[in-house]
Amino acid sequence: MCRCFARRAEVVCDSASFSSFPSDALPRNTTMLTIQYTNISSITEQHLNRSLTDLRELHLFSNRIQNLGPHLLRGLPKLRALDLTDNQLSVLPADVFSHAPLESLVLKNNRIEMASDDWLAENGRLTWLDLSGNRLTKIPATLFRKLPNLDNLDLPNNRLESVPVNSLDALTKVERLNFCNNKIETLDAEAFRQTLNLTHLFLSRNKLQRLQQTLFQNLTRLQHLSLDENRLQTVAPGSLDPLVSLEEEGLDLSGNPWTCDEKVRYLWRWINKNKSKVLLPEMVVCAAPPALTGRSVMSLTESEIKMAA
């Protein structure tokens, strides 16, 4: 029920008839193990450390895993990547990922309600953490402090309501932050003050109503920024000026209820000056006043803006 690829020391098991981890049957030189679409519901340290000391990648997606044993990865000194996408995990024990030199940890599409700093050891090697598609309402800053090498953080499709002040300060190497499809209403003016290497920031489909004027002041390397489908009515003068590295079509502002009165003047000028950097600029449209509803911001005239004031 498994397939072995001797040349690259890979084993793939994808039979629904599996209900327990096939520890005893795995070749000792296995470096990549994939177990998917099975009925396995629990995995412990004892399942993994019998003969898998050379394991570098462990892919466990689309099973029925509800429980992970404590110290799960003890005995896997070479493990770099762990993928637990599409399982039924909700609560994870302390030290569950702390014993292997993980660089990539994917916990996408589970039922996790709370992320904990005790999952990981201090000063880990993790560069990619994916917690998307869970039930998180907040992320402790203490977890991020254990991730000094992180360059990719995925948190979309959760229930996050805020990004706590200073919570991202430890992520000085992060290049990609994804907060899409959450419930974030506000962002502190210094939320990204230490994320100087950020190149991609995704904030689509939240509940943002306003942006602090200095929010992006340190993001001079940012190439892509998505702010579409929020509740933004205006942007503060000067707030987009630090984004000097935006790529062509790198900024998405569509799907917001822009108010096209005197306060839209800065946005109007910025879009017309940087039209190539805006994705579908004609879709950045006015929601008010009634006389301008449906008009694209960039199509407005000076006199129309004055009359709407």
Side-chain angles (χ1 to χ4, degrees):
M1 292 182 287
C2 294
R3 301 185 302 281
C4 297
F5 303 90
R7 181 174 295 180
R8 56 183 187 267
E10 179 181 3
V11 179
V12 177
C13 308
D14 53 7
S15 172
S17 60
F18 271 112
S19 58
S20 61
F21 198 89
S23 306
D24 298 331
L26 296 171
R28 289 185 176 276
N29 68 334
T30 302
T31 60
M32 183 185 302
L33 174 61
T34 299
I35 298 179
Q36 58 188 358
Y37 309 114
T38 76
N39 289 318
I40 293 175
S41 61
S42 179
I43 297 180
T44 67
E45 174 189 353
Q46 288 69 36
H47 290 133
L48 294 173
N49 70 4
R50 291 182 184 180
S51 60
L52 296 174
T53 54
D54 287 333
L55 197 64
R56 289 173 171 78
E57 296 185 26
L58 178 57
H59 303 280
L60 298 169
F61 39 82
S62 298
N63 296 288
R64 298 187 178 183
I65 300 172
Q66 301 178 33
N67 300 298
L68 299 177
H71 312 290
L72 177 70
L73 306 182
R74 187 159 51 189
L76 301 178
K78 299 179 182 179
L79 191 68
R80 300 291 187 269
L82 175 60
D83 189 340
L84 284 153
T85 298
D86 287 323
N87 280 284
Q88 300 172 18
L89 297 168
S90 56
V91 178
L92 304 182
D95 295 314
V96 62
F97 306 124
S98 64
H99 297 288
L102 286 177
E103 296 174 2
S104 171
L105 176 59
V106 181
L107 295 164
K108 182 178 180 179
N109 295 346
N110 279 278
R111 303 172 182 177
I112 301 169
E113 296 185 5
M114 183 175 298
S116 177
D117 62 339
D118 64 13
W119 293 349
L120 301 162
E122 299 286 344
N123 297 313
R125 299 184 183 181
L126 211 62
T127 61
W128 181 23
L129 175 61
D130 188 343
L131 281 161
S132 57
N134 280 282
R135 302 173 182 177
L136 299 169
T137 57
K138 60 182 179 179
I139 299 287
T142 50
L143 174 63
F144 295 147
R145 293 188 193 120
K146 290 189 172 183
L147 304 173
N149 296 302
L150 201 70
D151 60 35
N152 194 330
L153 175 62
D154 284 311
L155 289 165
N157 304 315
N158 276 285
R159 303 171 183 176
L160 300 175
E161 297 178 355
S162 64
V163 178
V165 178
N166 304 331
S167 63
L168 303 176
D169 285 1
L171 304 181
T172 57
K173 294 184 179 180
V174 73
E175 296 179 5
R176 298 173 64 94
L177 286 175
N178 191 339
F179 291 103
C180 288
N181 200 27
N182 278 282
K183 299 181 179 181
I184 301 171
E185 295 185 3
T186 61
L187 288 167
D188 184 78
E190 298 188 341
F192 307 115
R193 66 175 181 174
Q194 299 295 337
T195 57
L196 306 183
N197 290 304
L198 203 59
T199 61
H200 291 71
L201 176 58
F202 304 95
L203 292 163
S204 304
R205 299 185 299 283
N206 277 282
K207 297 183 178 180
L208 292 169
Q209 299 185 40
R210 63 188 298 265
L211 303 174
Q212 300 287 348
Q213 185 176 24
T214 58
L215 182 63
F216 305 128
Q217 68 178 0
N218 293 330
L219 303 186
T220 57
R221 298 185 182 182
L222 200 67
Q223 300 170 13
H224 183 96
L225 172 61
S226 65
L227 291 164
D228 49 298
E229 296 187 48
N230 277 278
R231 300 178 180 177
L232 298 172
Q233 297 181 37
T234 186
V235 291
S239 57
L240 301 178
D241 293 353
L243 304 179
V244 294
S245 296
L246 281 177
E247 294 181 341
E248 186 172 341
E249 298 186 343
L251 175 62
D252 193 347
L253 295 166
S254 62
N256 284 285
W258 301 107
T259 298
C260 294
D261 56 13
E262 184 65 29
K263 292 181 181 179
V264 83
R265 186 182 298 277
Y266 168 71
L267 180 62
W268 168 67
R269 286 177 175 167
W270 193 93
I271 291 177
N272 278 291
K273 182 180 178 181
N274 300 276
K275 197 176 302 181
S276 65
K277 295 183 178 182
V278 181
L279 178 64
L280 300 175
E282 67 276 6
M283 298 302 294
V284 184
V285 300
C286 305
L292 298 176
T293 299
R295 286 278 303 279
S296 68
V297 170
M298 69 175 183
S299 72
L300 300 176
T301 64
E302 182 82 37
S303 60
E304 286 176 322
I305 293 173
K306 288 181 178 179
M307 290 177 61

